[in-house]
Amino acid sequence: MARYTDALAQANWYIKCLLGVVAASITVAVMALFGWRSAERDVTVHIPPDLTTGAQINVGRKEVPASNVYLFAFYIWQQLNRWSSNGQQDYGNQIYKLQAFFTPACQQQLISDMTTRAGQGELDQRTRSVMEIPGLGYRDGRVLAHADGSWNVLIDTQIIESSRGVPVKDAYVRYPLHVVRYDVDRELNPWQLAIDCYSAQKKPERLDPDAVAVAIKGNRAVVQNSDEYANRSFAEGGVSQTQGATTGPTSPPSGTSGGQRKPTPQDLAPATLPRVPR
């Protein structure tokens, strides 16, 4: 009789153990289900444009890498300035198409610029394309981050324009763009960034083609040499003489025969990034 009593007690103990395991499993399943339902459905991953040397990617990081900020600014600005057939329609169409990537203030500034150009007859049958100058793309120093979460971005471009098939402009122009965080509509703007037009009331400036040629050969950045440029390294060297970025074809600087002049010691002087007023 004692043997049957022990067997019954052992069976009851085994059943209690199984019930404990089942209860623990149910608890873990409920916690997992709650965690799954409360987890983020959208995860932001910032992938650097250049992966030739590999990269460390942090999923969900709030910081935007400088290379991605530069890529965003250049890509959107290039699309804005792409007039494939007629600037009279293309400029306005691009502003409307890319409106999710510009702040409202910048949109109004672009519309005002379009109206002014149209009134002066600069858009009729005008085509335009903007390209990155080979060898003068992204590098450390072209993106300056601010404490408020915005960035100043310098992009050096080559602008080519034609009117009714006749070339009217081929110039090197630097754009000082201001990029801000703009997480207002991820369906239309997955970048969560926006261009706020030009930074600190700066305007585009023409780059000297001779200095650009020297910079390309020496893989140097072309920058203006003035008192505003201080406190932050931009590149190894290369300085340009700049002038207002107005329309019209470029011409060789005075004192040259139309060809490229030899680089002077001033051309190879140390270069710095502009310290933009806040």
Side-chain angles (χ1 to χ4, degrees):
M1 189 66 179
R3 182 179 61 182
Y4 295 108
T5 302
D6 293 341
L8 183 60
Q10 186 175 5
N12 291 335
W13 176 83
Y14 185 68
I15 292 173
K16 291 180 180 179
C17 290
L18 291 178
L19 290 176
V21 172
V22 171
S25 300
I26 293 176
T27 302
V28 172
V30 171
M31 294 177 60
L33 180 62
F34 178 77
W36 173 74
R37 291 184 61 86
S38 61
E40 294 187 36
R41 297 181 180 272
D42 298 322
V43 179
T44 301
V45 180
H46 295 287
I47 302 177
D50 186 7
L51 295 175
T52 55
T53 58
Q56 180 178 353
I57 301 175
N58 297 322
V59 178
R61 63 181 296 182
K62 299 300 182 180
E63 305 84 13
V64 183
S67 57
N68 289 42
V69 175
Y70 177 89
L71 177 64
F72 165 80
F74 176 78
Y75 177 77
I76 299 301
W77 201 252
Q78 183 185 50
Q79 293 299 306
L80 173 69
N81 289 277
R82 179 55 181 145
W83 311 339
S84 58
S85 58
N86 185 357
Q88 196 76 29
Q89 289 83 36
D90 293 340
Y91 195 5
N93 290 340
Q94 293 299 85
I95 295 176
Y96 176 78
K97 176 183 175 182
L98 301 169
Q99 60 181 320
F101 303 101
F102 296 104
T103 62
C106 185
Q107 292 181 41
Q108 292 302 316
Q109 184 174 341
L110 294 175
I111 293 174
S112 177
D113 178 68
M114 177 187 64
T115 303
T116 302
R117 288 175 179 265
Q120 297 174 352
E122 297 182 12
L123 299 180
D124 188 30
Q125 300 300 319
R126 181 72 66 97
T127 64
R128 168 184 272 207
S129 59
V130 171
M131 298 171 289
E132 188 177 67
I133 302 175
L136 298 182
Y138 172 77
R139 64 179 65 204
D140 293 338
R142 282 198 180 272
V143 179
L144 179 61
H146 294 305
D148 60 358
S150 64
W151 301 265
N152 286 348
V153 182
L154 296 177
I155 58 175
D156 293 341
T157 64
Q158 181 180 8
I159 298 179
I160 299 178
E161 294 184 1
S162 63
S163 179
R164 295 176 173 84
V166 179
V168 295
K169 183 177 183 180
D170 187 355
Y172 297 114
V173 177
R174 159 168 294 173
Y175 289 102
L177 302 179
H178 186 220
V179 178
V180 299
R181 295 183 182 273
Y182 201 64
D183 187 10
V184 297
D185 192 340
R186 299 192 181 190
E187 291 296 325
L188 298 178
N189 183 355
W191 290 81
Q192 304 171 41
L193 301 172
I195 296 178
D196 194 27
C197 284
Y198 305 126
S199 57
Q201 299 181 347
K202 288 184 175 293
K203 295 182 178 180
E205 55 187 1
R206 184 79 61 85
L207 299 177
D208 178 38
D210 289 334
V212 170
V214 172
I216 293 176
K217 291 180 179 179
N219 193 23
R220 298 181 174 92
V222 182
V223 297
Q224 188 181 30
N225 191 15
S226 68
D227 294 339
E228 296 181 7
Y229 291 56
N231 298 337
R232 190 173 174 123
S233 175
F234 183 75
E236 304 91 88
V239 176
S240 72
Q241 300 173 351
T242 60
Q243 52 186 335
T246 57
T247 59
T250 59
S251 58
S254 59
T256 65
S257 59
Q260 295 182 355
R261 59 180 173 81
K262 294 182 179 180
T264 64
Q266 288 75 19
D267 292 325
L268 304 180
T272 53
L273 178 71
R275 185 177 45 141
V276 181
R278 296 294 303 280

